[in-house]
Amino acid sequence: MLLYTIRRTAQMLVVVLCVVTLVFLLLRIAAGDPARLMNAPDAPDDVIEATRERLGLDEPIYIQYLYFLRDLLGGDLGQSFQGSYSVAQVVFAALPNTAMLAAVTVLVSTVIALALGIGAALTRGSWLDRSVQVYVAFAQSIPSFWLAVVLVLVFAVQLGWLPAVDFTGPSSFVLPVATMAVALTPILIRTIRQSFIETLQQDYIRAARARGIAQRKILLVHTLKVASLPLVTLIGLQSGMILAGSYVVENIFNWPGIGKLAVDALTSRNFPMVQGAVLIAAVTFVLVNFVVDMLYTTLDPRIRLKGAS
Amino acid sequence: MLRRKTAAIGLGGIGLLIFVAVAAPWIAPYEPAAQDLSNVLAPPAWDGGDWSYPLGTDALGRDVLSRMIYGARSSVLISACAMLIGATLGLLTGLVAGFFGRFVDTLIMRLGDIQLALPFILIAIVILGMMTERSPVHLIVVLGIPAWIVYARVVRARTLAEREQDYVRAAETIGARPLRRIFRYVLPQVRSVLPAIALIDLSHLVVMESTLSFLGFGLTSPHVSWGQILADGRQNMVVAPWLPVLPGIAIMLTVLCINLAVEGMRSRVEPRRRWWSTRWRRSGATRTTLDMATAASRPAVDELQAGPTPDDVLLDVRGLCVDFPTADGRVVQAVRGVSFTVGRGKILGIVGESGSGKSVTSYALLRLLSAPGRVSAGTAMFDGIDLLGVPERSMRRVRGRRIGMIFQNPVGSLNPVLTVGYQIVEAIRTNRDVDRDAAVELAEKVFRDVGFGDPPHIMKQYPFRLSGGQNQRVMIAMTMAIEPELLLADEPTTALDVTTQAQVLDQLRRVRDEHGTSIVIISHDIGLIGEIADEVVVMYAGEVCESGPTEQVLREPRHPYTQALLESVPRPEAGVTTELRSIPGELPDPTRESGGCPFALRCSSVMDLCHTHRPKPLTVGPAWSAACHLYSEDKAEVTQR
C-alpha cells in the first residue's frame, strides 16, 4: 500500500510535468508569436521587438521553457494582456466557483444514479427499468449546450421561474447543475445498475440471505458497499468531461468559473490568461484523479491490504 | 427482437444522415450563405411561415433548412474523418504494441496512460481557440488524434490474446513473417470489436464538433455547422425559439441513432426478473404421478410415506421438483421428485456427482434458488412449517435462526468488504435477541470453540485474508452461535485440503453432539458421507436412486449407481488390490424427459424394461429403498403390458 502510494504519487508528478510542458508547447505552436498578439495588429516592428525582449521571447525555446517552469514554481502565471492583473489571482479566484458547481453536480448526479440504478437493477425488465433505460438513451444523446439553451428558454424566459444568468443564490444552481447532471447521470446509472446486478449474483449475497439478514440490510450494506466501488473510479474518469462541460455551462449561464474565464480569454486572445486557466484546470484534473485513485484504494480493503501481510 | 429493431432504426438513421450529407448540394434548396434580407427571421412553415423557407430563416435571412443540410455535411465529414484517423492510428499502434511486446509495448502503453491522464478535451479547445482560421482539416486532426488510445488498448489486448493461440504460434515456428501474421490472424479477430468502439467514438465526435462550434471555436465561415447555427440562433432565441431548437434536435437524433446501433450490436434482451422473489408455484399434489404405468407388487415408498410426519422427524421433504426454464423455452428439470426425511439430531448425507441436483435441493429448501429456478412441485415440512408455502416474511425468520447453511466456497460466502467480526455479529444480532456487547462476546466464544487462538484478531480480518479452512470455521462458528435446529452443509469440505477437511468434519460432528443440531451434509464424496452421516440419500440426475441407513447402504448397495459410486472411491478396508472404476458415460440431458430409468444408459445391469419404464422407489430393507427394476418382483409382467 505504501509502495503503491509512492508509485502513484511519482506517476502523478510525471503527468503534471507532462501537462505543463504540453500546454507550454501547444500554445506556442497554436498561437504564433505572443509578442505580436500583445500589440496592436499594425504595431511597428521595433515595438514588437521591444516586447519580445521584455518577455524573454528572444531567447531559445528551451530557455523560455525553463523560465516558465521557474515562474510556475513561484506561483507566477504571468500578467494578463488586458489590464494589469496577475493571472494567478484571477484564475484562483475563478477556480472555487467551478469546483462548487462540479461538486454539487457530482453529488446530485450520484444520488440520482444510485436511486435509479439500484431501482432498475432490482426490478429488471419492469416499467421502472425500462423507463430508466429510455432516460439513459436520451440523456446521453442530448448535447449539453443545447439542453442549457432550451432550459433557459423554458424556465427562465418563458416561465420566469429560475434565474437564467448570474449568481443570485441557491436557485442559480438549478439550471446549470441540471444541465451537467443530465450529461453525467447516464453513465453512472448504467454502471451502478450493472454492478448491482453482478454483485447480487455473488455467493456471499445468497449466504447473507441464508443467514436471515434483512433484505434492506443486504441491499444497503452488503450489496451497496461492493457495488458502489466502481462509481468512485468512474467519477474520477468523468472529471475531464465535467471540466469540459463547465466550459459550455459556465458560458451559457454566465457563471464566473474557470471555463468562462478560459473561453473569454480565448475570444479576446489573452494569451497568458488562456495558458493559466488551462494549466490550472488540467492540473486540477490530474489531482482529482490522483485523489480518487487513493480514495478507491482505501475504500476497498482488498486493495488496501494487498501485500501488507 | 426488440434490440434488433432498435438497431435497425439506429442504422437507418445513420444511413439517412450520410445520404443527406453526401447529397447536400442537390437537395438543399438554397446556398447555405445566400441571404434574403427582405425575409429575416421568417418563422417555419408550421408556425405561419410560407413554404419557400420550410424551417424559416435566420437573422441574416439565410434559409435554415439549407444550413441544417450543409451542417449535416460538416458534421458527418469531420466526425467520420476524425474517427478514421483515430481508429487507424490506434489500430496500428495497438497491433505493434501487442505483437512486438517488450519495450515497444511499454513505451506505447505508457504514452497512452499519460494521455488518458490529461484532460485532452480542454487542450483541444484551447488549440482550436487560439487559431484564427479553422478549416475542417484542423478540426479533424485535433479531434481525431487523441482517440487513438481507446482503439489501441482494445487492439493490443486482442493481439496479445491472439498471439498465444496455437495456430499463431505454429505459424511463427514455420517462419511466417510478422507482418503477414498480423494480417492473416490478428486482424480478423479485431474486426469484430472495432465497429462498436468506432460508433461510440463517432457519437462523441459529433457532440464535440458541435460543442466547439457553439463556443465559437469550431469551423469558421463560410463553413456551416449545427453548433454554429445554434450559437447564432441563441442571440434571437426569444423571438425565434426554433432557431436554437432545430440543430439541437438534429444532433440529439444523430447521437441517439448511433447509440441505438451500438446497443443493438451489444446485447440481447434480459428476462424480466426480481432478484429476491423466485416465483412460487405450489402444486397441491405431491409427486405420485411420475410414471403411473409402472406397477409393482411391492409397496411403493410414496405410499408408505403418505400421512403425517412422525414427531422424531425434523424435516420431511416429499416429491420436490425444481425447474429452470431456459431462454429458448425448454425446461431443465434439475430436481425430479426428491423425497427424504431428516431425524432430530441426525446427520443425513446426500451424495451424487455434480449436476445431480444436490445443491439445488438445498437452495430450494431455503428458497434461495437463483432466478429463473423455481419449485414446481413437492412439499417440505420443517417442524410444522411448510417451507415452500409460508410467506417470505416468515421464511426470513427461518433462515439463519432455525435453518443454517454453509456453502462450498467458504471465502465466497463472506462479504469481501466487511470484516469477519462485523458479519458474525450481524448474523448473531439478526437471529438472537442480544445486544452488541453480548454478541461480540458470543462471537469470540464460538471462534475459540472452532479453534481460533486469538478471536479479537480474527474478528478484525477481511475474509480474503483468511484461508479457506479458516473461513469455513467462521461459517461453522456462526452456526454454533445461532444454534439453528437444522444445518444444511453444501459440500463444506470440497474447497479445502485433506487435513482441514478432517477438522471441519470434526467440528460439524461437535455441532450435532453439543447443540443437538440436525445436519444435512451434501457431498460428491461417498467416503466422506460414510464417515459422518447416519443416513444417506444417493441422487442421480435429479432423482433419488437409493436411500437408507448409511452403514447398510455402503456395505451392500442395492442400486447399480450406488455400487458404481462405491467402486469409484478407494476403500482402505477393501485392500489395495481392488481396482478403482470410473462410471462410463455422462448424465442424461436434463431438458429431455425420458420414459425410463435415468441411469439406464450407464448401468451395467440394464434390462429392456429400464429404457421404457421409470422405476419407482421400492423398499429393500428397513427404512431402506432403491429405485431400480432389479428389485421389482414382476418385471416380466410389467414388460408385457
Side-chain angles (χ1 to χ4, degrees):
Chain A
M1 180 64 189
L2 182 69
L3 196 75
Y4 176 80
T5 312
I6 295 170
R7 225 181 39 216
R8 189 66 185 77
T9 312
Q11 192 197 334
M12 188 262 299
L13 291 175
V14 170
V15 172
V16 167
L17 187 69
C18 287
V19 170
V20 170
T21 312
L22 207 69
V23 169
F24 175 84
L25 286 177
L26 286 177
L27 280 188
R28 264 149 197 81
I29 295 167
D33 187 353
R36 219 167 265 285
L37 279 177
M38 267 188 82
N39 290 288
D42 52 353
D45 281 356
D46 55 326
V47 174
I48 288 173
E49 202 52 47
T51 317
R52 192 170 283 152
E53 235 165 84
R54 187 163 52 81
L55 294 175
L57 293 173
D58 49 346
E59 307 271 6
I61 190 136
Y62 65 91
I63 301 282
Q64 288 185 42
Y65 176 61
L66 290 178
Y67 282 146
F68 171 72
L69 285 185
R70 186 200 60 197
D71 291 348
L72 205 60
L73 282 175
D76 181 5
L77 292 172
Q79 294 289 313
S80 166
F81 281 176
Q82 280 110 28
S84 48
Y85 309 108
S86 142
V87 169
Q89 260 174 14
V90 178
V91 169
F92 282 110
L95 194 60
N97 293 331
T98 300
M100 202 155 59
L101 186 60
V104 176
T105 301
V106 167
L107 198 75
V108 168
S109 306
T110 309
V111 171
I112 293 175
L114 281 173
L116 294 183
I118 294 175
L122 293 185
T123 59
R124 271 206 275 172
S126 69
W127 64 268
L128 176 67
D129 187 23
R130 268 179 227 174
S131 325
V132 169
Q133 308 260 20
V134 169
Y135 165 75
V136 166
F138 274 92
Q140 67 186 359
S141 311
I142 296 177
S144 283
F145 59 90
W146 180 68
L147 181 65
V149 169
V150 171
L151 287 179
V152 168
L153 202 60
V154 174
F155 290 99
V157 177
Q158 307 249 321
L159 298 173
W161 289 351
L162 292 160
V165 292
D166 297 333
F167 187 84
T168 53
S171 60
S172 306
F173 275 95
V174 177
L175 293 183
V177 167
T179 308
M180 287 171 80
V182 168
L184 185 60
T185 43
I187 187 162
L188 297 186
I189 292 174
R190 287 175 80 126
T191 308
I192 197 84
R193 177 181 180 274
Q194 193 54 34
S195 124
F196 225 80
I197 287 173
E198 273 163 24
T199 309
L200 283 175
Q201 287 163 353
Q202 299 296 314
D203 285 348
Y204 50 80
I205 298 299
R206 193 204 298 259
R209 296 181 67 204
R211 260 174 258 148
I213 312 291
Q215 192 161 295
R216 191 169 37 88
K217 218 163 173 201
I218 289 182
L219 292 181
L220 294 183
V221 180
H222 288 254
T223 313
L224 190 60
K225 217 169 164 199
V226 179
S228 58
L229 285 173
L231 214 55
V232 178
T233 316
L234 190 66
I235 288 171
L237 287 175
Q238 290 300 308
S239 57
M241 290 306 295
I242 298 171
L243 264 175
S246 72
Y247 274 51
V248 171
V249 167
E250 288 181 1
N251 276 286
I252 294 172
F253 295 102
N254 208 19
W255 193 271
I258 205 152
K260 174 152 176 54
L261 189 71
V263 172
D264 286 351
L266 274 170
T267 316
S268 60
R269 312 193 66 70
N270 188 347
F271 180 77
M273 196 64 92
V274 172
Q275 179 172 282
V278 171
L279 205 60
I280 295 307
V283 170
T284 308
F285 170 83
V286 175
L287 286 178
V288 164
N289 268 292
F290 173 70
V291 170
V292 162
D293 259 21
M294 297 317 293
L295 193 69
Y296 184 83
T297 54
T298 49
L299 284 181
D300 191 340
R302 287 168 292 188
I303 298 172
R304 181 173 72 226
L305 299 171
K306 206 188 220 167
S309 54
Chain B
M1 279 297 272
L2 189 72
R3 297 278 161 158
R4 202 166 292 166
K5 213 190 282 172
T6 53
I9 295 173
L11 288 173
I14 297 172
L16 183 70
L17 184 73
I18 292 175
F19 168 75
V20 169
V22 172
W26 296 283
I27 56 175
Y30 302 90
E31 282 295 306
Q35 296 184 1
D36 177 0
L37 289 173
S38 62
N39 228 334
V40 169
L41 290 178
W46 65 84
D47 202 16
D50 72 73
W51 280 99
S52 53
Y53 298 109
L55 298 183
T57 59
D58 68 4
L60 296 173
R62 297 175 295 195
D63 176 43
V64 174
L65 177 64
S66 305
R67 290 180 69 74
M68 290 288 292
I69 290 172
Y70 275 92
R73 195 178 168 88
S74 316
S75 198
V76 169
L77 176 77
I78 292 172
S79 312
C81 291
M83 179 195 83
L84 285 177
I85 286 190
T88 313
L89 259 177
L91 184 67
L92 289 178
T93 45
L95 282 174
V96 167
F99 226 87
F100 296 102
R102 292 162 198 263
F103 72 92
V104 181
D105 183 33
T106 317
L107 183 76
I108 291 177
M109 286 300 115
R110 283 290 151 277
L111 219 66
D113 285 347
I114 289 175
Q115 199 213 295
L116 284 178
L118 296 175
F120 220 87
I121 305 167
L122 297 192
I123 295 173
I125 292 177
V126 170
I127 295 173
L128 290 168
M130 292 306 287
M131 294 175 173
T132 39
E133 291 273 312
R134 286 172 298 263
S135 71
V137 177
H138 292 127
L139 278 147
I140 289 169
V141 170
V142 172
L143 292 179
I145 290 176
W148 73 276
I149 181 64
V150 182
Y151 297 92
R153 286 196 156 185
V154 176
V155 172
R156 169 181 173 269
R158 286 279 161 144
T159 313
L160 280 178
E162 201 57 27
R163 248 179 74 175
E164 298 307 313
Q165 299 287 325
D166 289 342
Y167 60 90
V168 178
R169 296 218 146 167
E172 208 163 326
T173 49
I174 60 167
R177 283 221 217 80
L179 263 183
R180 209 188 144 98
R181 274 186 280 148
I182 290 181
F183 286 107
R184 280 290 287 279
Y185 303 113
V186 180
L187 272 187
Q189 291 295 315
V190 172
R191 217 167 46 197
S192 62
V193 282
L194 281 189
I197 302 171
L199 278 177
I200 295 170
D201 188 24
L202 192 68
S203 75
H204 285 311
L205 287 166
V206 169
V207 173
M208 273 301 292
E209 186 271 326
S210 50
T211 305
L212 283 168
S213 301
F214 176 78
L215 287 173
F217 309 133
L219 290 177
T220 42
S221 275
H223 306 281
V224 190
S225 100
W226 286 338
Q228 221 178 53
I229 303 173
L230 208 161
D232 289 347
R234 214 181 129 208
Q235 318 298 328
N236 302 297
M237 100 184 152
V238 180
V239 279
W242 65 89
L243 276 180
V245 170
L246 287 172
I249 290 175
I251 298 164
M252 192 173 98
L253 288 179
T254 306
V255 176
L256 191 64
C257 284
I258 296 175
N259 288 343
L260 287 180
V262 174
E263 281 306 304
M265 277 181 194
R266 205 181 265 158
S267 55
R268 278 165 295 140
V269 199
E270 286 178 342
R272 181 193 174 112
R273 60 178 59 154
R274 286 169 175 265
W275 73 282
W276 63 83
S277 67
T278 323
R279 244 166 268 135
W280 293 93
R281 189 166 73 72
R282 285 263 294 155
S283 152
T286 41
R287 187 83 174 205
T288 49
T289 51
L290 257 184
D291 192 355
M292 296 304 275
T294 317
S297 61
R298 279 185 189 226
V301 173
D302 276 355
E303 287 160 37
L304 283 179
Q305 275 191 349
T309 308
D311 278 349
D312 60 342
V313 167
L314 180 63
L315 175 68
D316 184 356
V317 178
R318 294 186 194 182
L320 181 71
C321 294
V322 180
D323 289 350
F324 285 84
T326 59
D328 55 3
R330 293 184 304 167
V331 172
V332 174
Q333 297 176 303
V335 176
R336 310 169 171 215
V338 163
S339 304
F340 59 84
T341 58
V342 185
R344 291 179 195 272
K346 297 284 188 205
I347 299 183
L348 171 77
I350 300 182
V351 70
E353 58 198 286
S354 27
S356 60
K358 314 175 303 263
S359 302
V360 173
T361 302
S362 66
Y363 294 154
L365 292 177
L366 277 184
R367 306 219 312 229
L368 293 175
L369 287 170
S370 354
R374 56 159 198 247
V375 171
S376 56
T379 57
M381 296 301 290
F382 169 77
D383 200 27
I385 301 171
D386 177 5
L387 290 182
L388 305 181
V390 294
E392 180 64 23
R393 282 229 327 272
S394 336
M395 197 57 204
R396 215 172 297 146
R397 284 197 295 273
V398 171
R399 291 194 199 112
R401 186 170 310 193
R402 305 199 60 191
I403 305 181
M405 185 157 186
I406 61 180
F407 298 86
Q408 176 168 5
N409 168 11
V411 184
S413 359
L414 289 163
N415 193 307
V417 300
L418 299 172
T419 60
V420 164
Y422 176 92
Q423 298 187 61
I424 189 170
V425 169
E426 181 192 46
I428 293 172
R429 297 205 56 201
T430 305
N431 295 300
R432 299 188 64 164
D433 193 17
V434 291
D435 64 13
R436 231 196 95 77
D437 291 345
V440 171
E441 208 172 293
L442 181 57
E444 290 181 359
K445 181 192 163 292
V446 290
F447 271 177
R448 217 165 274 125
D449 285 349
V450 295
F452 287 125
D454 184 4
H457 173 72
I458 296 288
M459 303 263 281
K460 274 184 245 138
Q461 300 302 314
Y462 288 93
F464 61 93
R465 305 266 283 172
L466 302 176
S467 70
Q470 285 173 317
N471 274 295
Q472 202 60 298
R473 272 146 70 193
V474 169
M475 296 298 291
I476 292 174
M478 280 190 191
T479 313
M480 287 178 161
I482 298 168
E483 298 189 329
E485 292 130 88
L486 175 68
L487 174 62
L488 304 176
D490 180 16
E491 304 262 7
T493 61
T494 306
L496 311 176
D497 63 78
V498 183
T499 346
T500 327
Q501 278 188 11
Q503 285 174 8
V504 167
L505 282 189
D506 258 0
Q507 268 144 9
L508 286 177
R509 240 180 247 122
R510 279 182 56 195
V511 169
R512 193 263 304 262
D513 297 344
E514 288 169 20
H515 303 267
T517 308
S518 307
I519 298 178
V520 175
I521 184 163
I522 294 167
S523 179
H524 64 279
D525 181 353
I526 198 167
L528 179 147
I529 298 289
E531 253 176 74
I532 190 169
D534 303 313
E535 293 188 33
V536 64
V537 168
V538 181
M539 280 184 71
Y540 183 80
E543 293 178 34
V544 173
C545 51
E546 183 163 4
S547 67
T550 313
E551 214 175 299
Q552 276 124 304
V553 172
L554 263 58
R555 201 176 40 211
E556 325 165 42
R558 296 294 166 90
H559 197 283
Y561 176 64
T562 319
Q563 291 163 3
L565 259 188
L566 281 164
E567 278 165 12
S568 67
V569 291
R571 281 194 298 167
E573 71 274 13
V576 277
T577 49
T578 3
E579 196 184 325
L580 285 184
R581 266 197 239 141
S582 63
I583 310 172
E586 285 167 16
L587 284 166
D589 180 355
T591 59
R592 209 165 293 155
E593 187 72 46
S594 83
C597 171
F599 191 58
L601 290 172
R602 301 166 78 183
C603 184
S604 51
S605 334
V606 65
M607 306 173 286
D608 286 348
L609 169 67
C610 301
H611 294 294
T612 50
H613 291 72
R614 185 177 286 266
K616 295 192 75 173
L618 301 170
T619 304
V620 292
W624 186 0
S625 72
C628 180
H629 289 306
L630 288 174
Y631 307 100
S632 156
E633 281 168 356
D634 45 358
K635 300 185 263 281
E637 195 183 309
V638 173
T639 323
Q640 279 159 13
R641 279 174 54 185

